[in-house]
């Protein structure tokens, strides 16, 4: 299957995701976000969580913070047509 076929088939979904502010690579961080939510519910301090996730996912704590901040944002309202 060619990329254009994938894009054409999923054009409406991709458009809605873009309007909502979702980045194409956000799917890569779902497991990390789930780890974050679990650790918050367990009562861990956010500083500890950032350091733990940074080590686990081989990223800096600042990068972890930026990714989580992006994923926690409310979706943008759809553009008026």
């Amino acid at each position: 299957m060619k990329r254009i076929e994938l894009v054409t088939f999923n054009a409406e979904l991709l458009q809605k995701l873009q309007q909502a502010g979702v980045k194409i690579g956000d799917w890569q961080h779902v497991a990390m976000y789930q780890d974050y939510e679990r650790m918050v519910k367990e009562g861990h301090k956010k500083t500890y969580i950032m350091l733990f996730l940074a080590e686990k996912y081989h990223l800096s704590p600042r990068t972890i913070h930026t990714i989580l901040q992006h994923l926690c944002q409310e979706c943008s309202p759809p553009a008026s047509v």
Side-chain angles (χ1 to χ4, degrees), residues 6 8 13-14 23 31 42-43 46 49-50 54-55 60 66 73 75 77:
L6 282 172
T8 302
L13 173 61
L14 292 168
K23 297 177 185 175
E42 290 173 357
K46 291 193 179 183
I49 295 171
M50 296 300 161
E55 186 173 322
S60 73
T66 301
Q73 289 177 344
C75 291

Side-chain angles (χ1 to χ4, degrees), residues 2-69:
K2 293 182 181 179
R3 289 184 182 139
I4 188 63
E5 293 170 328
L6 282 172
V7 171
T8 302
F9 182 74
N10 294 293
E12 186 177 342
L13 173 61
L14 292 168
Q15 181 183 18
K16 288 180 182 187
L17 290 170
Q18 183 183 25
Q19 289 172 347
V22 176
K23 297 177 185 175
I24 198 161
D26 284 349
W27 67 271
Q28 297 172 322
H29 306 298
V30 171
M32 180 178 59
Y33 186 80
Q34 291 170 336
D35 286 344
Y36 169 77
E37 282 190 321
R38 177 184 51 78
M39 293 178 79
V40 168
K41 286 178 185 173
E42 290 173 357
H44 296 284
K45 294 187 178 194
K46 291 193 179 183
T47 303
Y48 171 76
I49 295 171
M50 296 300 161
L51 292 172
F52 176 84
L53 294 175
E55 186 173 322
K56 180 175 180 178
Y57 292 98
H58 308 288
L59 299 168
S60 73
R62 181 67 197 152
T63 300
I64 298 290
H65 175 75
T66 301
I67 291 168
L68 293 175
Q69 189 175 24

